[in-house]
Amino acid sequence: NQERKSDDLNNPPVPLQFDVKDMIALVQRLHSSEEHLQTRWINAMLGRIFLGLYKTSDVENFIRAKITKKISRVKKPSFLSRVVLHDVDMGEGAPFITNPRLKDLTVDGDCSIEADVRYSGNFRLEIAATARIDLGTRLKAREVNLLLAVVLKKIEGHVFLRIKPPPSNRIWFTFAQPPKIEMSIEPIVSTR
C-alpha cells in the first residue's frame, strides 16, 4: 500500500514499508511445523496481505469506524458521560488458519467453510472515557478522564464462515464454541 499525499502533482504517493521483524516472524511461523503443509500457502498470503496493510490509515479508519459504531450501541453506566476510541494498533501478525474444510457450496452461491483459527498478534485499542464521581452533597462532583489500553494477546477456536448468496455482500463468521481468549486491560496514566 502507499501513503496518499495531497493532489499536488509534484508529491507522488510514498510506498509504505513493513517492519522486517514482523516478516521474519511470519516466515518462521510458516516453516515451524511440517504438520500444516497444505495450509502454508493461505497463511502466507493472509500474512503478506496483512503486512502490506497493517500500518495504513485506510485500515485504521475502517477498524475505528466499526469499533466506534459498536461503542455507540453499548449501554453505559450513568457515571460515564462519554466513551471514545483513542488509538488503534493492528498488532504484528494475522490470524493463522489450520484444518480448513468446505462444508457446502450451493449452485445459488451459498458458501460455508470451517477452520481452526489462532491469533497471537497483540491487537491493541486505547479507549478514553470521562467518569463523573459524585460522593454526596457535601463534596463537589468531579469529572475524571480515564484511558485504558485493551490488548488482545491471543484468541483461538473453531470458526464457521458463511458467504450468503447474492444479493448479500457480507461475510458472516462465528466461533463454534466460545474461543479461548487472552487479553489484558491496562490503565494508562498521563502519557504512559
Side-chain angles (χ1 to χ4, degrees), residues 48-185:
R48 179 59 186 91
I49 290 170
F50 174 82
L51 291 177
L53 297 173
Y54 75 135
K55 295 189 182 223
T56 63
S57 59
D58 291 338
V59 171
E60 181 181 335
N61 291 338
F62 175 78
I63 298 293
R64 183 179 295 278
K66 290 288 185 187
I67 293 174
T68 300
K69 188 175 179 182
K70 295 286 184 195
I71 288 174
S72 70
R73 293 182 186 168
V74 173
K75 289 185 180 178
K76 296 178 270 306
S78 60
F79 63 87
L80 288 179
S81 60
R82 72 180 179 100
V83 178
V84 180
L85 181 61
H86 190 263
D87 191 27
V88 177
D89 182 352
M90 295 297 296
E92 315 77 55
F96 200 74
I97 296 172
T98 54
N99 306 317
R101 281 192 14 205
L102 175 65
K103 287 189 69 175
D104 193 25
L105 178 61
T106 64
V107 292
D108 64 346
D110 196 352
C111 181
S112 299
I113 299 168
E114 63 180 314
D116 294 321
V117 174
R118 193 172 1 140
Y119 172 78
S120 57
N122 293 317
F123 178 81
R124 178 185 170 99
L125 299 175
E126 287 183 12
I127 299 174
T130 301
R132 182 175 173 83
I133 300 173
D134 192 351
L135 300 174
T137 56
R138 299 184 69 182
L139 296 171
K140 184 180 176 183
R142 299 187 61 176
E143 286 194 348
V144 178
N145 292 322
L146 307 172
L147 189 59
L148 295 175
V150 180
V151 181
L152 178 61
K153 294 179 177 181
K154 292 182 182 178
I155 187 166
E156 184 177 327
H158 191 73
V159 170
F160 291 111
L161 183 129
R162 183 175 179 203
I163 304 170
K164 288 183 152 186
S168 176
N169 62 355
R170 295 185 179 181
I171 296 176
W172 303 82
F173 69 93
T174 186
F175 285 93
Q177 297 175 345
K180 296 176 189 172
I181 298 176
E182 184 180 326
M183 66 174 17
S184 66
I185 300 174

